[in-house]
Amino acid sequence: MNEKKKLRHRAPAPSGESREVMHEVNYFDLTQRERDAMPPFESPDFDRWVTAVLLRHNRSKINDNGVAVLQALNLCFENEVSPPRWLARQFLTRIHGFSHFEKATLDEAFDVPPISEKKRAAIARRKRLIWPVSDALMAVLKKTPETPIDVGLFEAVGDTLGIGATLCQELYAEGVELYGTPDLKAYKRLLESLGRNIRKTPRSPRRLARN
């Protein structure tokens, strides 16, 4: 396993705004015991190991934040892991507070911060545009690899998606940083490398058909 690789659960759609509370865990944050217990990456036990590590390193945050409780449960269910007892107790305590009218709403019971409908809609729109922006940018480079990665590219792609060049560039950067969408410079180098290899490949001589 690459020591620089981060252990993460399935990432949310990217946005400058995020409801994620649990933090990622870097390889260097692991204890020696955790490293020794790490199964091979391709093993079916790897996701369960990652889940246990993330829960352990985020436990204090989960104990203090209702949104983190929900995210921790979601992580367990996604990886088909039974939640530990301490996590189940956290959930039951909070849902009990709602069920017995100690908390007015589920938002209050799970510490969900309020958000206006206008802001929610704006954030959701940005999230929906992340991958279309990335796909459109790569399509342009694939068609014409010599296209420079500059404001002109973001302006042209933005026009096709009905957004401005600045927003297009912001969404591209958010995608690369937060959700692993392709880096355009790396993608362009790949295309150039493939082009050189194709040009260098000798053609097989044509065979003359026999009568």
Side-chain angles (χ1 to χ4, degrees):
M1 179 178 177
N2 187 339
E3 290 190 345
K4 294 183 178 179
K5 181 176 180 178
K6 288 185 177 180
L7 306 172
R8 64 174 68 195
H9 53 289
R10 293 178 178 85
S15 171
E17 299 281 349
S18 175
R19 283 175 165 163
E20 285 295 301
V21 177
M22 293 174 59
H23 63 78
E24 296 174 350
V25 179
N26 191 283
Y27 180 86
F28 298 105
D29 296 329
L30 301 179
T31 65
Q32 188 59 52
R33 185 175 180 180
E34 288 170 335
R35 295 183 190 182
D36 292 341
M38 181 174 61
F41 184 77
E42 65 277 5
S43 167
D45 294 327
F46 185 79
D47 283 347
R48 288 191 285 272
W49 174 82
V50 169
T51 301
V53 168
L54 285 168
L55 293 179
R56 191 176 302 117
H57 284 257
N58 280 278
R59 183 165 179 172
S60 62
K61 190 170 293 187
I62 295 169
N63 287 338
D64 293 337
N65 189 284
V67 174
V69 170
L70 297 176
Q71 291 171 354
L73 284 172
N74 182 67
L75 173 65
C76 291
F77 297 149
E78 281 186 337
N79 291 327
E80 300 180 354
V81 174
S82 297
R85 290 184 178 181
W86 63 265
L87 176 56
R89 284 196 299 269
Q90 283 290 331
F91 174 80
L92 291 173
T93 297
R94 290 177 178 276
I95 201 68
H96 181 277
F98 170 75
S99 300
H100 289 76
F101 295 91
E102 295 169 6
K103 302 292 183 180
T105 65
L106 283 172
D107 283 355
E108 184 181 348
F110 286 93
D111 307 318
V112 178
I115 184 172
S116 69
E117 176 59 23
K118 182 178 180 180
K119 184 176 182 180
R120 184 209 60 77
I123 294 172
R125 178 172 179 265
R126 288 178 71 95
K127 287 177 177 289
R128 286 195 300 269
L129 284 170
I130 292 288
W131 278 105
V133 163
S134 178
D135 291 343
L137 289 167
M138 288 193 298
V140 172
L141 292 182
K142 184 176 182 181
K143 184 176 181 180
T144 53
E146 67 276 9
T147 302
I149 303 173
D150 58 12
V151 66
L153 172 62
F154 292 109
E155 186 173 27
V157 168
D159 284 344
T160 66
L161 297 174
I163 59 177
T166 300
L167 179 56
C168 183
Q169 188 168 4
E170 289 176 356
L171 294 174
Y172 158 71
E174 287 179 13
V176 172
E177 180 180 358
L178 302 177
Y179 204 42
T181 56
D183 179 275
L184 291 183
K185 291 182 180 179
Y187 183 65
K188 191 171 185 178
R189 287 195 298 269
L190 174 63
L191 292 174
E192 292 171 349
S193 175
L194 291 174
R196 286 194 299 270
N197 290 336
I198 290 173
R199 288 192 293 272
K200 290 179 180 179
T201 302
R203 294 183 178 181
S204 300
R206 293 182 180 179
R207 294 184 178 180
L208 297 177
R210 293 182 180 180
N211 293 330

